[in-house]
């Protein structure tokens, strides 16, 4: 019984220590436009591509920079997508060719050639309290 309690305590302590916080600081290129800044914190290439399994966050687009905070994030590799939802309709508006009409960005300020960047271009490591900065484009 004592061994079980020690193993349980050890496991719980390891999980608690592995949790981090992530702050995503976004510099807006249309600070007076209003709306919301929406983010997706994606834990894998599959989640990044499909946008399923990502933690989402949002804040009012007030000022030239905004911060989105993610709590209880496990240490590891992630990628972030962000867009400035100027008209606050909950989606990234695009033109008929699929080109975004609202400002957007990715972790590492990664850019794709024809479309979004790859997971490899946008991934970064979260360990403990982590801050990343993204400049919106478009």
């Amino acid at each position: 019984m004592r061994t079980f309690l020690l193993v349980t305590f050890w496991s719980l302590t390891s999980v608690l220590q592995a949790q981090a916080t992530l702050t995503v600081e976004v510099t807006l290129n249309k600070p007076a436009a209003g709306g919301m800044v929406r983010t997706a914190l994606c834990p894998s290439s599959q989640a990044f591509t499909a946008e399923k399994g990502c933690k989402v966050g949002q804040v009012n687009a007030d000022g030239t920079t905004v911060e989105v905070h993610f709590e209880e994030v496990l240490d590891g590799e992630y990628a972030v997508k962000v867009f400035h939802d100027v008209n606050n309709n909950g989606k990234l508006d695009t033109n008929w060719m699929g080109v975004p009409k609202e400002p957007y960005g990715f972790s590492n300020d990664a850019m794709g050639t024809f479309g979004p960047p790859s997971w490899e271009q946008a991934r970064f490591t979260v360990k403990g309290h982590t801050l990343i900065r993204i400049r919106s484009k478009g």
Side-chain angles (χ1 to χ4, degrees), residues 86-110:
V86 174
N87 59 5
N88 205 17
N89 67 352
K91 63 180 184 173
L92 175 63
D93 295 323
T94 60
N95 67 16
W96 65 273
M97 291 177 44
V99 176
K101 292 167 50 176
E102 295 178 301
Y104 62 93
F106 302 92
S107 42
N108 298 328
D109 284 330

Side-chain angles (χ1 to χ4, degrees), residues 18-29:
Q19 290 187 345
T21 59
L22 171 66
T23 300
V24 179
E25 182 184 276
V26 182
T27 301
L28 303 175
N29 71 346

